[in-house]
Amino acid sequence: MFWEKYPYTTIKTKVFEALSKNTNYRSETVLGIPGTFLDTDIFYEDAPFLRDAPFLSTLIANPNHIGVHTLGDEHEEFFAGTQEIEKDLIKICAEEIFGAEPHEYDGYVASGGTEANIQALWIYRNYFRKQYNAGNEDIVVIYSKDTHYSIPKGLDVLNLQGIEIAVDDVSREIKMKDLEEKIEDALTAGYKYFIVNVNMSTTMFGSVDDIEKITNLLNLLHLNYKLHVDAAYGGFIYPFTCQNNFFSFKNKNVSSFSIDGHKMLQAPYGTGIFLIRKGYMHYTLTDEAAYVKGKDYTLVGSRSGANAVCVWMILRIHGSMGWSVKMHQLLDKTSFICEKLKEWGVDFYRHPNLNIIAIRSKYMSVELAEKYNLVPDQHNTKAQWYKIVVMPHVKQGLIDNFLNEFKTDLNRMK
Ligand SMILES: *Cc1c(COP(=O)(O)O)cnc(C)c1O
């Protein structure tokens, strides 16, 4: 995995160059587009600092990145400059982070992991409908109990059936026996086509599904399936902290990924990334989108070009090595906390390549959990777990204060 780090001046030059290739609402004859620059009473374009602020300048110019720009078919020329930057961003994610071959993938910057996950379900549903003449009643979606709720949300939107697979309470791994039994039941019930979601880090635990075990079983049973990887949380950390894993386009069992820029990557909200092997995007082509020259294949429609530019800027300022160092620093901090918890006999779950620690609630007073804004696994009934997420704002001082208070708390409980 490698992508070059650019100095800030290079990033700035490239973004301004891209902007100059976009259609400019201020200086060109634009009469037919229902879009324009941002409101000038709030976002005045002559602020002197904008010359040094490529992201804000893109935000104000307000390019629309509607559509998918990796397809290489006809596309809107209006914002071709910044759309090229999005293509470089998708290239970095697909080729460098997830091992795709050049030109063997499509992708776009979605509104978030939710949209990217639903986009995947939507594509595979239509794929089975079109290729196999399947009805919704022939298709089933398989996912673990620790899966993000955007998958059940997607089932509701797309009118699909789902099967939830149990996970082990301690290891958080999918129970293979339950998976096998539920697949047998599904086959007996008449389901013929399977959409399988695997998690490259769950939101609550940071657990990573054993993709090899799962796909070995699916292949052994000769299921007709498509496999999506929900890497919304883990996509910008796990590939850097655990190299040579099976979550890659090199793994022929995998068809698509969701990755959130607005989680580990510290990009603004609205920066989910959807990646899929070539040859699938057209299953969600909306023929009626006649006025969009590049056609529309996405759930979202119009979307901000500034978001794509911003994710690209973050990846480019660090380069792959810089990003890797940053992610390892988070792991070190996480491990530091875990060492203490072990020393004190506290029961917790942590995946060694991730920065999430889920602590059993019996070790934690509600007051302390609330004071440090730890997130419970459930808000309605009594929490079983409280999680710590060691994000970049979590400094050693904060960790030390928390651990001190936690220790006092523990001693009091004993
Ligand atoms: C956050 C998250 C999502 C949903 O992403 P949004 O960006 O909030 O839409 C989906 N899956 C996982 C694993 C997540 O962590």
Side-chain angles (χ1 to χ4, degrees), residues 1 91-102 105 247-251 257 277:
M1 170 180 0
K91 180 183 160 86
I92 291 173
C93 295
E95 295 183 26
E96 299 305 326
I97 303 180
F98 292 110
E101 293 299 321
Y105 54 85
F247 294 92
S248 158
F249 282 115
K250 291 200 166 44
N251 180 346
F257 290 91
R277 282 184 196 281

Side-chain angles (χ1 to χ4, degrees), residues 112-115 117 148 150 199 201-203 230 232-233 260 262-263:
T114 298
E115 183 193 326
N117 284 344
H148 189 266
S150 51
N199 299 300
S201 181
T202 57
T203 316
D230 182 357
Y233 182 80
D260 266 346
H262 56 225
K263 286 189 180 143

